[in-house]
Every structure is written in C-alpha cells, then in structure tokens.
Amino acid sequence: MREEFPAKNMTAKVSIVVPCFNDIGCLARWLDALLAQSYQVLQIIVVDDGSTDGSDGLAREYAARHSKIVFLQQKHRGPAEARNLAVSKASGDILV
C-alpha cells in the first residue's frame, strides 16, 4: 500500500514559492488556501516582481500577519528571476 505525502514524517519543512506580478485579484485566495493546508510545517515565499496593482501591499500585509509567509520584492525581471530569488531564501527540506 502506498503512503500518502507527507507519510509518517510530519516534520519536514516545505517551502512554497509564489511568484507574483499584478495578481491582486487572486493573491488573497491563493495565500488563504496555502495557509489553510493541514500540513503546517510550511514556509510560503511570495516574491513580488514589480507589481503596479497593489499586489505588493497585500502580500506585505499577509506577511505581517502570518509568520509562515516571507515577502520578497524585486524590480520586474520575470517569473524565472522571481523563483530564483525565492529559492535562494528558502529554508525548507522540500521546495515546491
């Protein structure tokens, strides 16, 4: 019988990368869904990639209220650069 993730070891920290560029319409829903997960050993890294729609402010508010969320910001360089920045700051055993 196959074990379901995260199997028996519930202590592995999972870092989740959320690149963000002008996503104010979806960002709160995404972050709320991640925060509602039953697996609690999470680090959620939101990288704002130079948004102009207020996404950065919303992500900052979430990070201020939730210790699991890390907010990073950069000038608009695209999703690959945003992910690379997040990977450099991730502290999890598993990176998603």
Side-chain angles (χ1 to χ4, degrees), residues 2-94:
R2 194 179 98 174
E3 288 186 348
E4 294 298 318
F5 178 79
K8 294 177 183 173
N9 182 357
M10 298 292 285
T11 61
K13 186 175 187 180
V14 176
S15 292
I16 301 169
V17 176
V18 181
C20 173
F21 176 71
N22 290 341
D23 291 318
I24 192 120
C26 301
L27 186 59
R29 188 173 57 228
W30 295 338
L31 294 176
D32 288 339
L34 291 171
L35 290 167
Q37 296 301 307
S38 60
Y39 191 78
Q40 293 296 306
V41 191
L42 298 175
Q43 174 189 44
I44 302 166
I45 305 171
V46 179
V47 181
D48 177 70
D49 188 36
S51 294
T52 58
D53 70 344
S55 297
D56 57 333
L58 180 62
R60 238 185 254 283
E61 288 175 23
Y62 267 80
R65 290 192 322 248
H66 303 281
S67 61
K68 293 178 186 178
I69 298 178
V70 175
F71 175 71
L72 304 173
Q73 192 169 33
Q74 66 180 22
K75 291 184 179 182
H76 185 59
R77 288 185 270 183
E81 289 292 325
R83 283 190 284 274
N84 289 341
L85 176 59
V87 167
S88 75
K89 303 296 183 186
S91 62
D93 304 304
I94 301 167

